[in-house]
mmCIF file with all atom_site columns, all heavy atoms in Angstrom:
data_model
loop_
_atom_site.group_PDB
_atom_site.id
_atom_site.type_symbol
_atom_site.label_atom_id
_atom_site.label_alt_id
_atom_site.label_comp_id
_atom_site.label_asym_id
_atom_site.label_entity_id
_atom_site.label_seq_id
_atom_site.pdbx_PDB_ins_code
_atom_site.Cartn_x
_atom_site.Cartn_y
_atom_site.Cartn_z
_atom_site.occupancy
_atom_site.B_iso_or_equiv
_atom_site.pdbx_formal_charge
_atom_site.auth_seq_id
_atom_site.auth_comp_id
_atom_site.auth_asym_id
_atom_site.auth_atom_id
_atom_site.pdbx_PDB_model_num
ATOM 1  N N   . VAL E 1 138 ? 22.773 -174.386 -144.984 1.00 98.00 ? 148 VAL E N   1
ATOM 2  C CA  . VAL E 1 138 ? 23.157 -175.803 -145.081 1.00 98.00 ? 148 VAL E CA  1
ATOM 3  C C   . VAL E 1 138 ? 23.998 -176.190 -143.869 1.00 98.00 ? 148 VAL E C   1
ATOM 4  O O   . VAL E 1 138 ? 23.802 -177.263 -143.277 1.00 98.00 ? 148 VAL E O   1
ATOM 5  C CB  . VAL E 1 138 ? 23.928 -176.089 -146.396 1.00 98.00 ? 148 VAL E CB  1
ATOM 6  C CG1 . VAL E 1 138 ? 24.286 -177.569 -146.486 1.00 98.00 ? 148 VAL E CG1 1
ATOM 7  C CG2 . VAL E 1 138 ? 23.117 -175.652 -147.609 1.00 98.00 ? 148 VAL E CG2 1
ATOM 8  N N   . LEU E 1 139 ? 24.909 -175.305 -143.479 1.00 98.00 ? 149 LEU E N   1
ATOM 9  C CA  . LEU E 1 139 ? 25.764 -175.569 -142.316 1.00 98.00 ? 149 LEU E CA  1
ATOM 10 C C   . LEU E 1 139 ? 24.918 -175.840 -141.067 1.00 98.00 ? 149 LEU E C   1
ATOM 11 O O   . LEU E 1 139 ? 25.186 -176.798 -140.329 1.00 98.00 ? 149 LEU E O   1
ATOM 12 C CB  . LEU E 1 139 ? 26.687 -174.360 -142.089 1.00 98.00 ? 149 LEU E CB  1
ATOM 13 C CG  . LEU E 1 139 ? 27.596 -174.394 -140.862 1.00 98.00 ? 149 LEU E CG  1
ATOM 14 C CD1 . LEU E 1 139 ? 28.554 -175.579 -140.913 1.00 98.00 ? 149 LEU E CD1 1
ATOM 15 C CD2 . LEU E 1 139 ? 28.383 -173.085 -140.741 1.00 98.00 ? 149 LEU E CD2 1
ATOM 16 N N   . GLN E 1 140 ? 23.895 -175.029 -140.855 1.00 98.00 ? 150 GLN E N   1
ATOM 17 C CA  . GLN E 1 140 ? 23.043 -175.205 -139.666 1.00 98.00 ? 150 GLN E CA  1
ATOM 18 C C   . GLN E 1 140 ? 22.311 -176.551 -139.706 1.00 98.00 ? 150 GLN E C   1
ATOM 19 O O   . GLN E 1 140 ? 22.174 -177.224 -138.686 1.00 98.00 ? 150 GLN E O   1
ATOM 20 C CB  . GLN E 1 140 ? 22.038 -174.052 -139.523 1.00 98.00 ? 150 GLN E CB  1
ATOM 21 C CG  . GLN E 1 140 ? 22.682 -172.691 -139.283 1.00 98.00 ? 150 GLN E CG  1
ATOM 22 C CD  . GLN E 1 140 ? 23.727 -172.698 -138.175 1.00 98.00 ? 150 GLN E CD  1
ATOM 23 O OE1 . GLN E 1 140 ? 23.579 -173.349 -137.138 1.00 98.00 ? 150 GLN E OE1 1
ATOM 24 N NE2 . GLN E 1 140 ? 24.834 -172.000 -138.403 1.00 98.00 ? 150 GLN E NE2 1
ATOM 25 N N   . GLN E 1 141 ? 21.850 -176.933 -140.912 1.00 97.00 ? 151 GLN E N   1
ATOM 26 C CA  . GLN E 1 141 ? 21.181 -178.238 -141.034 1.00 97.00 ? 151 GLN E CA  1
ATOM 27 C C   . GLN E 1 141 ? 22.143 -179.370 -140.698 1.00 97.00 ? 151 GLN E C   1
ATOM 28 O O   . GLN E 1 141 ? 21.789 -180.324 -140.003 1.00 97.00 ? 151 GLN E O   1
ATOM 29 C CB  . GLN E 1 141 ? 20.660 -178.434 -142.458 1.00 97.00 ? 151 GLN E CB  1
ATOM 30 C CG  . GLN E 1 141 ? 19.412 -177.619 -142.753 1.00 97.00 ? 151 GLN E CG  1
ATOM 31 C CD  . GLN E 1 141 ? 18.899 -177.879 -144.152 1.00 97.00 ? 151 GLN E CD  1
ATOM 32 O OE1 . GLN E 1 141 ? 19.218 -178.878 -144.785 1.00 97.00 ? 151 GLN E OE1 1
ATOM 33 N NE2 . GLN E 1 141 ? 18.088 -176.959 -144.637 1.00 97.00 ? 151 GLN E NE2 1
ATOM 34 N N   . LEU E 1 142 ? 23.382 -179.257 -141.212 1.00 98.00 ? 152 LEU E N   1
ATOM 35 C CA  . LEU E 1 142 ? 24.370 -180.311 -140.967 1.00 98.00 ? 152 LEU E CA  1
ATOM 36 C C   . LEU E 1 142 ? 24.724 -180.389 -139.481 1.00 98.00 ? 152 LEU E C   1
ATOM 37 O O   . LEU E 1 142 ? 24.961 -181.476 -138.951 1.00 98.00 ? 152 LEU E O   1
ATOM 38 C CB  . LEU E 1 142 ? 25.617 -180.087 -141.825 1.00 98.00 ? 152 LEU E CB  1
ATOM 39 C CG  . LEU E 1 142 ? 25.404 -180.330 -143.324 1.00 98.00 ? 152 LEU E CG  1
ATOM 40 C CD1 . LEU E 1 142 ? 26.611 -179.849 -144.128 1.00 98.00 ? 152 LEU E CD1 1
ATOM 41 C CD2 . LEU E 1 142 ? 25.148 -181.815 -143.622 1.00 98.00 ? 152 LEU E CD2 1
ATOM 42 N N   . LYS E 1 143 ? 24.743 -179.246 -138.819 1.00 98.00 ? 153 LYS E N   1
ATOM 43 C CA  . LYS E 1 143 ? 25.017 -179.245 -137.372 1.00 98.00 ? 153 LYS E CA  1
ATOM 44 C C   . LYS E 1 143 ? 23.894 -179.964 -136.641 1.00 98.00 ? 153 LYS E C   1
ATOM 45 O O   . LYS E 1 143 ? 24.118 -180.674 -135.665 1.00 98.00 ? 153 LYS E O   1
ATOM 46 C CB  . LYS E 1 143 ? 25.144 -177.810 -136.852 1.00 98.00 ? 153 LYS E CB  1
ATOM 47 C CG  . LYS E 1 143 ? 26.505 -177.197 -137.118 1.00 98.00 ? 153 LYS E CG  1
ATOM 48 C CD  . LYS E 1 143 ? 26.595 -175.809 -136.516 1.00 98.00 ? 153 LYS E CD  1
ATOM 49 C CE  . LYS E 1 143 ? 27.984 -175.221 -136.736 1.00 98.00 ? 153 LYS E CE  1
ATOM 50 N NZ  . LYS E 1 143 ? 28.035 -173.798 -136.382 1.00 98.00 ? 153 LYS E NZ  1
ATOM 51 N N   . MET E 1 144 ? 22.665 -179.751 -137.122 1.00 97.00 ? 154 MET E N   1
ATOM 52 C CA  . MET E 1 144 ? 21.494 -180.322 -136.460 1.00 97.00 ? 154 MET E CA  1
ATOM 53 C C   . MET E 1 144 ? 21.450 -181.846 -136.537 1.00 97.00 ? 154 MET E C   1
ATOM 54 O O   . MET E 1 144 ? 21.023 -182.510 -135.603 1.00 97.00 ? 154 MET E O   1
ATOM 55 C CB  . MET E 1 144 ? 20.235 -179.764 -137.117 1.00 97.00 ? 154 MET E CB  1
ATOM 56 C CG  . MET E 1 144 ? 19.357 -178.966 -136.210 1.00 97.00 ? 154 MET E CG  1
ATOM 57 S SD  . MET E 1 144 ? 17.895 -178.436 -137.094 1.00 97.00 ? 154 MET E SD  1
ATOM 58 C CE  . MET E 1 144 ? 18.479 -177.102 -138.078 1.00 97.00 ? 154 MET E CE  1
ATOM 59 N N   . ILE E 1 145 ? 21.901 -182.410 -137.677 1.00 96.00 ? 155 ILE E N   1
ATOM 60 C CA  . ILE E 1 145 ? 21.718 -183.859 -137.869 1.00 96.00 ? 155 ILE E CA  1
ATOM 61 C C   . ILE E 1 145 ? 22.812 -184.700 -137.205 1.00 96.00 ? 155 ILE E C   1
ATOM 62 O O   . ILE E 1 145 ? 22.677 -185.924 -137.104 1.00 96.00 ? 155 ILE E O   1
ATOM 63 C CB  . ILE E 1 145 ? 21.608 -184.237 -139.370 1.00 96.00 ? 155 ILE E CB  1
ATOM 64 C CG1 . ILE E 1 145 ? 22.925 -183.956 -140.097 1.00 96.00 ? 155 ILE E CG1 1
ATOM 65 C CG2 . ILE E 1 145 ? 20.429 -183.539 -140.015 1.00 96.00 ? 155 ILE E CG2 1
ATOM 66 C CD1 . ILE E 1 145 ? 22.991 -184.620 -141.461 1.00 96.00 ? 155 ILE E CD1 1
ATOM 67 N N   . GLY E 1 146 ? 23.897 -184.052 -136.780 1.00 94.00 ? 156 GLY E N   1
ATOM 68 C CA  . GLY E 1 146 ? 24.980 -184.808 -136.135 1.00 94.00 ? 156 GLY E CA  1
ATOM 69 C C   . GLY E 1 146 ? 25.539 -185.893 -137.043 1.00 94.00 ? 156 GLY E C   1
ATOM 70 O O   . GLY E 1 146 ? 25.870 -185.627 -138.185 1.00 94.00 ? 156 GLY E O   1
ATOM 71 N N   . GLU E 1 147 ? 25.602 -187.132 -136.544 1.00 92.00 ? 157 GLU E N   1
ATOM 72 C CA  . GLU E 1 147 ? 26.227 -188.226 -137.294 1.00 92.00 ? 157 GLU E CA  1
ATOM 73 C C   . GLU E 1 147 ? 25.234 -189.048 -138.116 1.00 92.00 ? 157 GLU E C   1
ATOM 74 O O   . GLU E 1 147 ? 25.595 -190.079 -138.682 1.00 92.00 ? 157 GLU E O   1
ATOM 75 C CB  . GLU E 1 147 ? 26.947 -189.178 -136.327 1.00 92.00 ? 157 GLU E CB  1
ATOM 76 C CG  . GLU E 1 147 ? 28.038 -188.548 -135.481 1.00 92.00 ? 157 GLU E CG  1
ATOM 77 C CD  . GLU E 1 147 ? 29.252 -188.163 -136.299 1.00 92.00 ? 157 GLU E CD  1
ATOM 78 O OE1 . GLU E 1 147 ? 29.741 -189.029 -137.059 1.00 92.00 ? 157 GLU E OE1 1
ATOM 79 O OE2 . GLU E 1 147 ? 29.702 -187.003 -136.199 1.00 92.00 ? 157 GLU E OE2 1
ATOM 80 N N   . SER E 1 148 ? 23.979 -188.634 -138.149 1.00 95.00 ? 158 SER E N   1
ATOM 81 C CA  . SER E 1 148 ? 22.944 -189.453 -138.806 1.00 95.00 ? 158 SER E CA  1
ATOM 82 C C   . SER E 1 148 ? 23.121 -189.551 -140.326 1.00 95.00 ? 158 SER E C   1
ATOM 83 O O   . SER E 1 148 ? 22.979 -188.564 -141.043 1.00 95.00 ? 158 SER E O   1
ATOM 84 C CB  . SER E 1 148 ? 21.557 -188.868 -138.494 1.00 95.00 ? 158 SER E CB  1
ATOM 85 O OG  . SER E 1 148 ? 20.604 -189.398 -139.390 1.00 95.00 ? 158 SER E OG  1
ATOM 86 N N   . ARG E 1 149 ? 23.447 -190.779 -140.812 1.00 95.00 ? 159 ARG E N   1
ATOM 87 C CA  . ARG E 1 149 ? 23.633 -191.001 -142.259 1.00 95.00 ? 159 ARG E CA  1
ATOM 88 C C   . ARG E 1 149 ? 22.307 -190.840 -142.998 1.00 95.00 ? 159 ARG E C   1
ATOM 89 O O   . ARG E 1 149 ? 22.253 -190.322 -144.104 1.00 95.00 ? 159 ARG E O   1
ATOM 90 C CB  . ARG E 1 149 ? 24.169 -192.417 -142.538 1.00 95.00 ? 159 ARG E CB  1
ATOM 91 C CG  . ARG E 1 149 ? 25.584 -192.669 -142.128 1.00 95.00 ? 159 ARG E CG  1
ATOM 92 C CD  . ARG E 1 149 ? 26.612 -191.856 -142.853 1.00 95.00 ? 159 ARG E CD  1
ATOM 93 N NE  . ARG E 1 149 ? 26.743 -192.162 -144.272 1.00 95.00 ? 159 ARG E NE  1
ATOM 94 C CZ  . ARG E 1 149 ? 27.534 -191.473 -145.117 1.00 95.00 ? 159 ARG E CZ  1
ATOM 95 N NH1 . ARG E 1 149 ? 28.251 -190.467 -144.663 1.00 95.00 ? 159 ARG E NH1 1
ATOM 96 N NH2 . ARG E 1 149 ? 27.611 -191.794 -146.384 1.00 95.00 ? 159 ARG E NH2 1
#
Side-chain angles (χ1 to χ4, degrees):
V148 181
L149 176 61
Q150 296 311 321
Q151 285 182 19
L152 290 170
K153 280 183 178 170
M154 242 182 283
I155 66 166
E157 301 290 310
S158 164
R159 290 296 293 175

